[in-house]
Amino acid sequence: MVGFAGKSAVAGSAAFVALLGSPVPATAVAEQCANPTGTYTAAVPWGQRLIDPVRIWPLSRGTGQLIAVIGTGVDGRNGQFASGQLVGGQGTEAEDCDGRGTIAAGIVGAQPDPSTTFTGIAPGAKILPIRYTQANGGGDPGQLASAIETALNRGAGIILIAVPAASDGPALTGAVSRAKEKGALIVSPAAGSQQGQTSYPTATPGVLAVGSTNQAGEAVQTESGSYVGVSAPGAELVSTSAGAGGTVAHRWPVSDPSLAAAHVAGVAALVRAYHPELSPEQVVARLTLTAHRGPSGGHDPRRGWGAIDAYAAVSAAIPADTPGPGGPASVAPDTFVVPAAAPARANADKVSGVLAIVGVAVAIAAGVVVAAVRRGKRRGWRPSRFRAS
């Protein structure tokens, strides 16, 4: 279920419930738009703590990335969006009566502000707001396809589906294919809350599908499948609110499985800004290889390959051609990667990561030498029964 504490708008609540499968009459939604709960000043939200973007900002803030947020529009009048951060023009929508698009955009890129403990993941990124649906369920796949085409035409490198469709169609499949051809990464949530429900283009090959979890790490959506790549926070969240009228204002607590994809889109922007040479497939490989595995170490149909680890995804030393888990037989399904050491200075760059990796290699080599010496002493320095061929 979706919950808001404090002052809440009928339309905002109705729209979120509509996303989870309960239809709401359009007239009821139109009567009142979403408004803020207030300005959030309590402890840093758990989703933000999990991603820990402040730790990553010395390496990457997502600068140079254009992220399309496709859904209900984005209210650019919230004071936590920087001047010029929201890119306007034909096919965009900088208003959001429903509220979902503004919440998603805030998770992606809201600016740090001294009046609140909430901040977005990639404040250096620009946001392209595109509205294709108002409320009333998941939206039309044909209209969603057109929105994706608009995002591609405007040069978006990351496309966040804030409101997925409940059905597929040839136009939507074609739009996903064109995104792949143009080097754009589509991130879409597994938002279905009813048994057997499938979201699109979430389940379409070539899309990074995101599962949703709560603070305990439990999946909060019912939708499941082999297509789910990673998981991220999607319950009891804080983010920017529509209807702020120029102030810094928020909605909380917000629980919506679709918002997990917003966290991953923000992390993808950090990765692509730090590794601009990577293709969308290589970015996905990084995100899945560095994710925190579940108890089984393998793939979970609702949480994918594990919880997103933003710092590891940005900083880990991974050859660009390394396939993701579950890929070719040469890669074990439970393959994962650990990050390089954290930067020691605010202006740390890739050199620090390289030095950390070299240090690890030296330590491993030293360990091998010590072990060899100890084995040699135990054998009286007799040769091993294994010989090089």
Side-chain angles (χ1 to χ4, degrees), residues 97-116:
C97 176
D98 178 278
R100 282 176 286 174
T102 305
I103 291 173
I107 290 172
V108 169
Q111 301 297 306
D113 189 281
S115 67
T116 179

Side-chain angles (χ1 to χ4, degrees), residues 118-222:
F118 169 77
T119 186
I121 294 169
K126 290 188 178 295
I127 295 171
L128 178 69
I130 301 176
R131 184 168 69 195
Y132 87 98
T133 186
Q134 297 277 5
N136 295 328
D140 176 80
Q143 293 177 352
L144 179 52
S146 296
I148 293 174
E149 297 285 4
T150 297
L152 294 173
N153 292 337
R154 296 297 303 277
I158 298 172
I159 299 175
L160 166 62
I161 309 298
V163 183
S167 59
D168 199 4
L172 186 53
T173 302
V176 171
S177 296
R178 281 184 284 280
K180 184 177 180 180
E181 292 171 1
K182 291 192 173 185
L185 171 62
I186 298 180
V187 183
S188 187
S193 62
Q194 298 178 2
Q195 196 65 40
Q197 198 171 24
T198 303
S199 303
Y200 295 94
T202 311
T204 304
V207 172
L208 176 54
V210 182
S212 175
T213 59
N214 58 20
Q215 294 191 53
E218 302 163 336
V220 297
Q221 89 285 355
T222 302

Side-chain angles (χ1 to χ4, degrees), residues 279-385:
S279 68
E281 294 80 8
Q282 291 167 335
V283 172
V284 171
R286 269 188 167 266
L287 295 174
T288 52
L289 285 170
T290 56
H292 291 291
R293 295 287 183 269
S296 71
H299 183 272
D300 182 281
R302 296 170 69 194
R303 291 174 294 185
W305 291 103
I308 193 81
D309 185 333
Y311 184 76
V314 172
S315 67
I318 305 174
D321 58 352
T322 303
S330 59
V331 179
D334 58 353
T335 298
F336 63 97
V337 179
V338 296
R345 300 179 307 277
N347 62 347
D349 56 17
K350 290 186 179 181
V351 173
S352 63
V354 171
L355 292 176
I357 295 164
V358 170
V360 171
V362 171
I364 292 172
V368 171
V369 171
V370 171
V373 170
R374 289 175 178 173
R375 287 196 302 271
K377 288 181 177 180
R378 287 197 301 269
R379 294 195 306 266
W381 299 104
R382 294 189 299 274
S384 169
R385 63 190 180 91

